[in-house]
């Protein structure tokens, strides 16, 4: 973490505080951080702090994103001595690697005379950087197997059937609870879950799969070509596009995560 002050001859009278640590950050989860700008002037000071503004941006491996600071109202605020201005920033972690939260603070410092008139003032700005690493939370390995047709009729026998197996591994430091695992098939197919939600029963929170660190869980889906449906989408090397897998989980502290795979295909012919 670093701090750059515009004018270093006098100490700044507003201190920007970031959390010293927040634990691990995982791809698929939402980074959330509270920023506090504290007015450290004494109550009897002849100075005032006004027009306090907080801005933030996230520097990720793929580029820099300007973050929305909430609440968005009263961006330019007056902070009384001993008071604090608090803002919250959120960012969806979508890629692994180093991330840097850059926070900019600006405010007006005014000297007030005995007759309560402002005699002088200046604008101060400084910047703080907070670096962390986003790591994968859930590892996914998939395998597609062909199934014979379930009907001997000449027309029906042309309908393709597959089983998609996925192996999930918890890379996080803590236990996670799998909320949903959904296969979104291409238009030519329909999918049937073979997992804990297969019977479409009311699954309570306590009944959902729990994965401790390094635990592995197998899930599977039946994929069937729809009768009278659109044609299959095939890649240039002869692979059939089946769909993509969406997985949602929650940590024991209530933090939610989401992962979506790329297009899953059959084996190359």
């Amino acid at each position: 973490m670093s701090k750059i002050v515009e004018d270093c001859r006098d100490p700044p009278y507003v201190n920007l505080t970031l959390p010293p640590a927040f634990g691990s950050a995982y791809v698929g989860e939402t980074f959330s951080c509270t920023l506090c700008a504290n007015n450290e002037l004494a109550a009897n000071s002849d100075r005032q702090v006004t027009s306090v503004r907080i801005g933030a941006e996230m520097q990720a491996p793929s580029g820099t994103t300007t973050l929305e600071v909430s609440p968005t109202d009263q961006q330019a605020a007056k902070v009384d001595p001993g008071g604090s201005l608090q803002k919250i920033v959120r960012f969806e972690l979508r890629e692994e690697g180093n991330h840097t939260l850059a926070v900019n603070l600006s405010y007006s410092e005014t000297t007030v005379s005995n007759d309560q008139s402002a005699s002088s003032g200046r604008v101060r700005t400084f910047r703080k950087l907070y670096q962390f690493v986003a790591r994968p939370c859930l590892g996914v390995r998939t395998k597609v197997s062909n199934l014979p047709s379930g009907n001997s009729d000449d027309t029906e026998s042309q309908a393709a059937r597959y089983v998609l197996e996925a192996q999930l591994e918890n890379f996080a430091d803590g236990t996670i609870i799998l909320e949903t695992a959904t296969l979104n098939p291409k238009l030519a197919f329909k999918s049937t879950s073979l997992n804990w939600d297969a019977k479409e029963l009311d699954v309570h929170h306590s009944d959902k799969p729990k994965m401790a660190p390094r635990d592995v869980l197998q899930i599977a889906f039946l994929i069937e070509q729809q009768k009278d449906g659109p044609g299959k989408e095939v890649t240039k090397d002869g692979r059939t596009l089946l769909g993509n897998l969406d997985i949602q989980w929650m940590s024991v502290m209530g933090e939610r995560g989401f992962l979506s795979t790329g297009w899953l295909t059959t084996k190359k012919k």
Side-chain angles (χ1 to χ4, degrees), residues 233-241 265:
E233 297 182 42
V234 181
T235 63
K236 293 181 179 180
D237 59 357
R239 300 172 186 263
T240 300
L241 294 173
T265 66

Side-chain angles (χ1 to χ4, degrees), residues 138-268:
L138 202 63
V140 181
R141 300 180 182 90
T142 60
K143 174 185 176 182
V144 176
S145 301
N146 289 22
L147 289 178
S149 172
N151 194 309
S152 59
D153 181 84
D154 290 341
T155 303
E156 292 292 331
S157 64
Q158 298 176 7
R161 301 170 71 239
Y162 309 93
V163 167
L164 170 67
E165 300 173 82
Q167 182 185 80
L168 311 181
E169 183 175 358
N170 180 11
F171 291 151
D173 296 327
T175 299
I176 61 174
I177 302 169
L178 285 181
E179 295 279 277
T180 60
T182 305
L183 179 66
N184 303 313
K186 283 288 189 176
L187 294 177
F189 299 98
K190 64 178 181 180
S191 68
T192 303
S193 174
L194 305 177
N195 307 301
W196 66 91
D197 56 349
K199 296 182 180 180
E200 299 182 352
L201 299 177
D202 181 16
V203 180
H204 298 284
H205 181 79
S206 59
D207 298 327
K208 296 178 180 178
K210 297 180 179 63
M211 300 179 65
R214 297 301 171 182
D215 273 0
V216 174
L217 178 70
Q218 302 282 350
I219 61 175
F221 298 87
L222 173 64
I223 304 173
E224 300 174 284
Q225 187 176 0
Q226 298 197 68
K227 181 181 178 180
D228 301 327
K232 296 184 292 184
E233 297 182 42
V234 181
T235 63
K236 293 181 179 180
D237 59 357
R239 300 172 186 263
T240 300
L241 294 173
L242 300 177
N244 72 302
L245 191 62
D246 287 341
I247 302 171
Q248 297 185 45
W249 67 87
M250 183 173 65
S251 73
V252 292
M253 297 300 293
E255 298 171 327
R256 295 186 178 275
F258 175 81
L259 178 149
S260 181
T261 68
W263 292 117
L264 303 174
T265 66
T266 60
K267 296 180 180 179
K268 182 178 178 181

Side-chain angles (χ1 to χ4, degrees), residues 47-211:
R47 299 173 184 266
Q48 288 184 348
V49 171
T50 58
S51 302
V52 181
R53 295 177 181 270
I54 299 177
E57 59 186 25
M58 184 68 74
Q59 300 169 8
S62 62
T64 300
T65 302
T66 300
L67 303 182
E68 179 179 327
V69 180
S70 61
T72 56
D73 59 333
Q74 299 180 352
Q75 278 291 314
K78 178 181 178 180
V79 181
D80 295 326
S84 175
L85 177 66
Q86 298 188 7
K87 298 291 184 178
I88 298 174
V89 294
R90 295 181 174 87
F91 181 75
E92 300 290 337
L93 298 173
R94 301 185 182 278
E95 54 187 324
E96 301 177 36
N98 294 323
H99 289 64
T100 301
L101 174 65
V103 185
N104 300 306
L105 177 70
S106 66
Y107 64 94
S108 296
E109 175 194 324
T110 306
T111 302
V112 181
S113 61
N114 294 333
D115 60 358
Q116 298 301 309
S117 61
S119 59
S120 63
R122 60 177 173 176
V123 176
R124 286 183 178 270
T125 63
F126 63 90
R127 177 181 178 93
K128 279 191 173 182
L129 304 178
Y130 187 17
Q131 296 181 339
F132 62 94
V133 178
R135 301 187 287 123
C137 177
L138 202 63
V140 181
R141 300 180 182 90
T142 60
K143 174 185 176 182
V144 176
S145 301
N146 289 22
L147 289 178
S149 172
N151 194 309
S152 59
D153 181 84
D154 290 341
T155 303
E156 292 292 331
S157 64
Q158 298 176 7
R161 301 170 71 239
Y162 309 93
V163 167
L164 170 67
E165 300 173 82
Q167 182 185 80
L168 311 181
E169 183 175 358
N170 180 11
F171 291 151
D173 296 327
T175 299
I176 61 174
I177 302 169
L178 285 181
E179 295 279 277
T180 60
T182 305
L183 179 66
N184 303 313
K186 283 288 189 176
L187 294 177
F189 299 98
K190 64 178 181 180
S191 68
T192 303
S193 174
L194 305 177
N195 307 301
W196 66 91
D197 56 349
K199 296 182 180 180
E200 299 182 352
L201 299 177
D202 181 16
V203 180
H204 298 284
H205 181 79
S206 59
D207 298 327
K208 296 178 180 178
K210 297 180 179 63
M211 300 179 65

